[in-house]
Amino acid sequence: MTMIRRWVMMALFVLGNAMVATPVAADDVAATSRSVVRVVTIAIVDQEVVGFGHGSGFAVGPNRIVTNAHVVELAQQYPDNVVIGVVPSEGSKSYQARVIAIDSKRDLALLEIVGARIPPATLYSGSLDDSVGLVSLGYPGNVDVASAQSAADYIKPLSPVRSEGSLSATRSVSGVNVLLHTASISRGNSGGPVLDHCGRVLGVNSAITRGEEGDAFFAFAISESEVAAFLNQAKQPFAAIGNPCMSVEARMSADQAADRAAAEAADAARREAASKDQTSREQAIEQARADAQRNAENVIAIAALLLVLGALAVGGGGMLYQRGKQREAIWAASGGGVLMLAAIVVFVLRPGDKPMLPKGYEVPLATPSAAASERPLGKMVCKFVPERSRVTVSSAADVNLDWGQDGCMNDRTQYADDNGKWTRVLVPGDEQTVSVLEFDPATRTYTNYRYFLSATQMDAARKIRAQIPLKQCSADAEARTQLGTQQQSVRAALPPAYSEKLVYACSAAAP
């Protein structure tokens, strides 16, 4: 085995753990750069390196990579004597890959690696306007030549090189749809993605024109439609979205007006409900007052009737006594006395004219308090609100929620009280995204703020999250308060601006 083979193989597959990826900025293109990889091919025949090449690629699944077919052409020339290496932009490891699908006409190939979970990129399936701004990500060879100090520098994890340009035109070349653009690329960018400013894949860099005698430089990229068709034929699932690109700044500016309008609408609804409750209460009090007065008058009338009957009985007893009917006179006088006594008792015990309020109206009407946010709302269907959201790569399907007592969501996840709103910070172990979930009981608005982070940022967030013990729903108010305090530590470690904001309007689910 020659020396060149030894150091190439060692550099490719025995990278030291000391290598750490450079953290990326918190923007959409930087988020997609987590998906970009370098692709290295080495052909060895009779213990001699007979071919060495490299290009770029990007993940469409945790372990599936799209690149150009010509980047891995050595695998076709030397099918049994080629090592294909994939070097992610983050981490400290590289991976061996194999070709599982190839389309030479489209100049596309699909690779599979084992043992890696790379954040997948999302394709943009919407329409493109002429002169739209775009960004190219990849590993241009001229940069490698200028900066590499050894062979190991070619295959250690590094953030991809970023260059910007604009869409110049669309063309059909030999029946394949391509994008003509002005982002600067060179050998080594082949297979890397061309993105819009929201980080969605518009195409795959494939070729460049040569500028001679003042001719302008242009680059060709296989269009998203061709990439999607290739992946469908390969039966490879992928994410695609057609939402127009909206900047974070524009979304945050619009948020202020939208949040203010939502708060005003919720306040108006509360006032209307309170007005209806007040009217209902006043009507109930008036009816109760009339009922009390009527009952008092009826009892007084009964007492008067008993008194009259008693007096008549006593008078009748006197007449019987005068006629010598002493026995009958005693009974009549006694009965009359009982009736008169009953009249006095009924009159004394008569009900007052104070109204007896119906159940639920016993206490004065009060302004809703923060405790109202603790009440269960039950099962709800939350509909996605696109005009209040910013979606770049995620699904925007509706969400079903079951809001329970004291911030218990779906009978399993405890949310923390945040000034009348309820929040939960999710730091998953299998993806590079932190989600801050927020539910506002007053407006019944459910919001998911998503942050696409680098591997270094995710490691930091996971270490903080590991210190938060409360995960399940809890009736312990102190534990819930502590959860809110601990979650603030995670939020403080997040970038100042979110990557996506998904807003949902919730209403009671049909029974």
Side-chain angles (χ1 to χ4, degrees):
M1 181 181 292
T2 64
M3 182 63 67
I4 188 172
R5 185 188 179 201
R6 287 195 186 98
W7 59 253
V8 168
M9 294 295 289
M10 289 179 64
L12 182 57
F13 297 112
V14 194
L15 291 174
N17 291 330
M19 297 180 186
V20 178
T22 303
V24 296
D27 62 59
D28 298 324
V29 173
T32 303
S33 72
R34 305 172 307 169
S35 309
V36 179
V37 301
R38 187 196 297 269
V39 179
V40 180
T41 57
I42 306 169
I44 302 171
V45 177
D46 295 331
Q47 298 186 350
E48 295 289 336
V49 175
V50 296
F52 178 85
H54 72 94
S56 304
F58 61 94
V60 290
N63 65 335
R64 297 290 175 90
I65 307 297
V66 167
T67 187
N68 283 146
H70 74 260
V71 170
V72 292
E73 62 184 354
L74 286 176
Q76 294 176 289
Q77 296 176 17
Y78 305 95
D80 300 322
N81 298 280
V82 169
V83 175
I84 302 175
V86 168
V87 188
S89 59
E90 297 181 316
S92 59
K93 295 178 63 178
S94 56
Y95 302 89
Q96 189 168 346
R98 66 185 183 92
V99 179
I100 60 172
I102 194 163
D103 187 330
S104 299
K105 181 179 180 181
R106 290 190 174 103
D107 193 19
L108 293 173
L110 182 64
L111 311 181
E112 182 179 66
I113 56 181
V114 178
R117 290 193 62 85
I118 301 175
T122 296
L123 276 58
Y124 175 65
S125 58
S127 59
L128 290 177
D129 297 328
D130 291 341
S131 299
V132 65
L134 47 76
V135 179
S136 174
L137 291 179
Y139 296 93
N142 52 3
V143 173
D144 290 331
V145 170
S147 60
Q149 302 298 312
S150 66
D153 290 333
Y154 279 87
I155 43 74
K156 75 177 181 179
L158 291 171
S159 297
V161 175
R162 174 173 175 169
S163 62
E164 300 197 25
S166 61
L167 176 66
S168 300
T170 57
R171 291 285 187 270
S172 177
V173 178
S174 301
V176 176
N177 295 323
V178 298
L179 308 179
L180 192 63
H181 66 85
T182 60
S184 297
I185 64 172
S186 69
R187 296 174 183 266
N189 279 106
S190 293
V194 177
L195 313 172
D196 67 5
H197 284 104
C198 282
R200 288 88 63 92
V201 177
L202 306 179
V204 179
N205 280 318
S206 180
I208 56 175
T209 61
R210 294 296 181 187
E212 297 178 357
E213 298 182 1
D215 290 342
F217 163 89
F218 290 98
F220 289 90
I222 310 301
S223 72
E224 177 275 338
S225 61
E226 299 288 357
V227 179
F230 167 68
L231 293 175
N232 284 328
Q233 290 174 4
K235 295 182 171 51
Q236 170 61 44
F238 61 93
I241 195 167
N243 291 24
C245 183
M246 182 181 193
S247 70
V248 174
E249 293 76 14
R251 177 69 271 162
M252 295 180 75
S253 176
D255 282 346
Q256 297 179 0
D259 291 342
R260 186 165 53 249
E264 290 174 354
D267 188 53
R270 285 194 297 269
R271 290 197 301 269
E272 182 180 359
S275 177
K276 290 181 179 179
D277 288 344
Q278 183 64 34
T279 300
S280 176
R281 175 181 171 80
E282 291 173 353
Q283 292 174 347
I285 291 174
E286 187 62 31
Q287 182 63 44
R289 183 176 291 115
D291 292 342
Q293 184 176 356
R294 183 168 57 253
N295 291 337
E297 291 173 351
N298 290 340
V299 171
I300 292 173
I302 292 173
L305 178 60
L306 291 174
L307 183 62
V308 169
L309 292 176
L312 290 175
V314 171
M319 293 177 60
L320 290 172
Y321 183 79
Q322 290 177 356
R323 296 177 182 178
K325 298 180 179 181
Q326 296 181 355
R327 183 183 179 87
E328 290 82 354
I330 292 173
W331 279 105
S334 299
V338 171
L339 289 173
M340 293 176 71
L341 181 61
I344 294 172
V345 172
V346 169
F347 182 78
V348 171
L349 298 179
R350 71 188 184 279
D353 57 0
K354 183 179 179 181
M356 299 295 292
L357 299 181
K359 186 177 181 180
Y361 293 93
E362 295 88 348
V363 295
L365 204 63
T367 302
S369 65
S373 65
E374 301 173 3
R375 301 169 187 161
L377 297 175
K379 294 183 178 180
M380 294 179 290
V381 177
C382 300
K383 299 289 186 181
F384 179 66
V385 185
E387 61 272 16
R388 294 199 57 196
S389 302
R390 182 182 191 258
V391 180
T392 57
V393 299
S394 298
S395 169
D398 295 339
V399 175
N400 294 320
L401 299 180
D402 188 352
W403 186 253
Q405 185 78 20
D406 299 327
C408 179
M409 182 72 80
N410 295 338
D411 292 326
R412 65 176 181 271
T413 304
Q414 181 64 57
Y415 280 52
D417 189 5
D418 184 8
N419 296 320
K421 297 180 181 180
W422 293 89
T423 60
R424 181 73 186 194
V425 180
L426 299 182
V427 186
D430 57 352
E431 62 175 291
Q432 287 183 218
T433 301
V434 170
S435 294
V436 178
L437 306 176
E438 178 184 276
F439 180 68
D440 185 351
T443 61
R444 297 198 179 187
T445 302
Y446 182 65
T447 307
N448 183 355
Y449 299 92
R450 291 171 59 81
Y451 296 81
F452 303 144
L453 305 182
S454 69
T456 302
Q457 291 170 319
M458 283 301 303
D459 286 343
R462 290 183 181 117
K463 288 178 181 177
I464 299 174
R465 177 65 183 89
Q467 301 172 11
I468 302 177
L470 183 62
K471 296 179 174 61
Q472 303 298 324
C473 291
S474 174
D476 186 343
E478 183 177 349
R480 297 198 303 269
T481 300
Q482 187 178 9
L483 171 65
T485 302
Q486 293 166 331
Q487 287 190 155
Q488 288 300 325
S489 300
V490 182
R491 299 181 73 170
L494 297 176
Y498 52 76
S499 301
E500 290 186 323
K501 179 182 181 181
L502 285 67
V503 180
Y504 304 83
C506 303
S507 58

